[in-house]
Amino acid sequence: MDEKTLYLALGAVKNISLNISISNLGDDAYDANVSFNVSRELFFINMWQKEEMGFSCELLESDFLKCSVGFPFMRSKSKYEFSVIFDTSHLSGEEEVLSFIVTAQSGNTERSESLHDNTLALMVPLMHEVDTSITGIMSPTSFVYGESVDAANFIQLDDLECHFQPINITLQVYNTGPSTLPGSSVSISFPNRLSSGGAEMFHVQEMVVGQEKGNCSFQKNPTPCIIPQEQENIFHTIFAFFTKSGRKVLDCEKPGISCLTAHCNFSALAKEESRTIDIYMLLNTEILKKDGSSVIQFMSRAKVKVDPALRVVEIAHGNPEEVTVVFEALHNLEPRGYVVGWIIAISLLVGILIFLLLAVLLWKMGFFRRRYKEIIEAEKNRKENEDSWDWVQKNQ
């Protein structure tokens, strides 16, 4: 074993070679042989020797291999090297360690104090090396809500007044390999409140794992229909409409955001296989109507995790193990019917007040107190005087 071989990745290695070196420091050893005790999941392929030295191997049992060395005898002061190759493609991973017990012996009598180096134990840990990734899609990616939006665009549950927007999320977990993933889990989080003290918006109806090879758990919303009741007057409503802010981003990674979490466990996932999670949820739009944002962006996150206790190792710098799914709620920015009427009435009232204010200002400036009659009489007398003067000049 070399220092770089920390473990044997199941499925990544098709065969393994044991490079054996045997030496005889005493007299010629007759019927010298090397035996191997191996796992029953290994299959002997062949024995390889660099030079023909009279080696031969025989599989006596499925887990016991015996190789004769230097037939008919192994010369004194000699050293032989050979390799034994096993097929590892059928390793299941049930055993934590792949072990080889190699024993050298001969027909000669050997002193007991020199038997310590006749047996060798080779061990390598067996690990599931995987490269998992997760992707997700949202349907729909956006929707429009508001007081004037047709109620037929939403759904209602039995005996509930709230209008809900259905949201469907599909997540797919993929194992690139090279090993089978014996078990994994997916953690999912959804921003569930507009504020820390607000009502829960989401109602999870069902979570389904593809091929029924897993299960999911989540916390049900005990009161899916909540219509916030706020004591608002008409002026507050009009002010809220004109002060609609831009985009609000709800992300579970931001501090102070309350989130709904779900957890799914998967059974074994073979190399180059995928597993899906379908999530069916309802979003209470009545809560969104009370918010002052024109666009609310929901960022849902999902992350796949492996269990190190199952001897699973993720390939470093592999595929992303986390995905963010985004969808948006868009306010249609149309006020309620009575709000339009109040806006028109208030606009007329403000217009009249401005007109009266201008009239008072003009009156204060003397615009309406000018002596128009005197000015007209003076202008008339001036013209008469000019006409009479012209007559005098003509008679002269």
Side-chain angles (χ1 to χ4, degrees):
M1 305 298 299
D2 55 40
E3 296 179 353
K4 296 181 180 180
T5 308
L6 302 178
Y7 59 85
L8 179 66
L10 294 165
V13 179
K14 294 184 179 180
N15 54 67
I16 189 170
S17 174
L18 269 65
N19 303 319
I20 302 299
S21 175
I22 181 173
S23 59
N24 176 21
L25 301 181
D27 299 331
D28 292 345
Y30 291 88
D31 192 22
N33 61 84
V34 178
S35 60
F36 300 85
N37 289 89
V38 300
S39 170
R40 293 182 179 271
E41 295 181 346
L42 290 177
F43 293 91
F44 171 66
I45 297 178
N46 199 359
M47 183 272 299
W48 180 83
Q49 51 184 330
K50 188 175 181 179
E51 298 179 3
E52 182 61 40
M53 304 295 294
F55 283 76
S56 64
C57 295
E58 181 182 5
L59 189 64
L60 301 180
E61 296 182 17
S62 60
D63 59 349
F64 186 77
L65 176 70
K66 185 176 181 180
C67 297
S68 61
V69 180
F71 183 81
F73 58 88
M74 183 178 181
R75 294 185 180 277
S76 174
K77 312 299 182 182
S78 62
K79 180 179 179 181
Y80 298 158
E81 294 180 352
F82 67 102
S83 299
V84 181
I85 304 172
F86 294 93
D87 180 8
T88 59
S89 60
H90 298 282
L91 289 174
S92 63
E94 295 181 0
E95 299 176 352
E96 296 185 6
V97 176
L98 182 62
S99 61
F100 302 88
I101 299 178
V102 186
T103 304
Q105 57 187 359
S106 69
N108 297 38
T109 301
E110 189 165 353
R111 294 191 304 270
S112 58
E113 61 269 18
S114 62
L115 292 176
H116 65 278
D117 58 357
N118 283 29
T119 302
L120 177 66
L122 296 175
M123 297 183 182
V124 57
L126 296 178
M127 303 291 287
H128 300 271
E129 191 177 64
V130 298
D131 185 7
T132 57
S133 61
I134 185 169
T135 58
I137 57 174
M138 177 81 68
S139 177
T141 56
S142 63
F143 68 94
V144 178
Y145 70 95
E147 295 293 342
S148 60
V149 177
D150 189 359
N153 295 340
F154 307 103
I155 64 173
Q156 286 183 284
L157 299 179
D158 296 337
D159 303 325
L160 296 179
E161 299 180 8
C162 296
H163 292 87
F164 295 94
Q165 171 65 43
I167 303 291
N168 299 332
I169 302 177
T170 299
L171 302 173
Q172 184 181 63
V173 178
Y174 184 78
N175 176 26
T176 306
S179 304
T180 296
L181 179 61
S184 59
S185 62
V186 177
S187 299
I188 312 163
S189 59
F190 314 94
N192 199 29
R193 302 175 192 264
L194 290 176
S195 61
S196 57
E200 296 184 9
M201 296 180 288
F202 285 105
H203 173 55
V204 181
Q205 292 181 298
E206 187 180 16
M207 297 181 68
V208 181
V209 178
Q211 304 172 355
E212 298 182 353
K213 293 185 177 181
N215 58 81
C216 296
S217 61
F218 57 90
Q219 184 178 0
K220 287 185 174 291
N221 188 350
T223 55
C225 180
I226 293 181
I227 302 178
Q229 301 295 331
E230 299 181 6
Q231 300 297 328
E232 297 182 357
N233 53 39
I234 182 61
F235 298 103
H236 184 277
T237 303
I238 294 175
F239 178 78
F241 171 75
F242 282 108
T243 57
K244 281 282 185 184
S245 62
R247 182 184 303 271
K248 173 184 284 188
V249 179
L250 300 178
D251 189 351
C252 289
E253 289 195 347
K254 291 185 177 181
I257 300 296
S258 176
C259 291
L260 168 67
T261 58
H263 191 80
C264 297
N265 293 316
F266 288 163
S267 58
L269 187 61
K271 173 186 176 181
E272 298 182 350
E273 283 191 2
S274 62
R275 193 75 42 83
T276 59
I277 304 174
D278 293 308
I279 308 171
Y280 304 95
M281 301 189 303
L282 297 177
L283 175 59
N284 185 359
T285 61
E286 306 299 334
I287 299 177
L288 302 181
K289 295 175 184 178
K290 302 299 180 180
D291 189 74
S293 304
S294 58
V295 179
I296 303 177
Q297 187 179 73
F298 297 84
M299 302 186 69
S300 302
R301 298 181 180 273
K303 184 175 183 179
V304 58
K305 299 179 181 178
V306 299
D307 188 359
L310 299 176
R311 296 179 288 114
V312 181
V313 177
E314 278 276 1
I315 295 178
H317 310 295
N319 294 316
E321 301 154 25
E322 186 174 356
V323 66
T324 301
V325 183
V326 180
F327 71 100
E328 295 180 333
L330 313 174
H331 196 282
N332 64 349
L333 298 180
E334 293 182 8
R336 306 175 187 178
Y338 73 88
V339 175
V340 175
W342 273 100
I343 292 175
I344 295 175
I346 293 175
S347 300
L348 290 174
L349 179 61
V350 171
I352 294 173
L353 291 176
I354 293 175
F355 176 76
L356 293 176
L357 179 62
L358 290 174
V360 171
L361 290 175
L362 291 174
W363 181 74
K364 288 289 186 180
M365 295 171 61
F367 181 80
F368 298 108
R369 290 182 293 178
R370 297 179 65 182
R371 300 174 181 179
Y372 290 104
K373 186 175 181 179
E374 295 178 0
I375 295 174
I376 293 173
E377 289 292 335
E379 184 68 20
K380 184 177 179 181
N381 293 332
R382 186 181 65 79
K383 288 184 178 182
E384 289 178 355
N385 292 334
E386 290 179 355
D387 292 342
S388 62
W389 178 254
D390 291 342
W391 183 81
V392 172
Q393 287 182 340
K394 289 179 181 180
N395 288 335
Q396 290 178 353

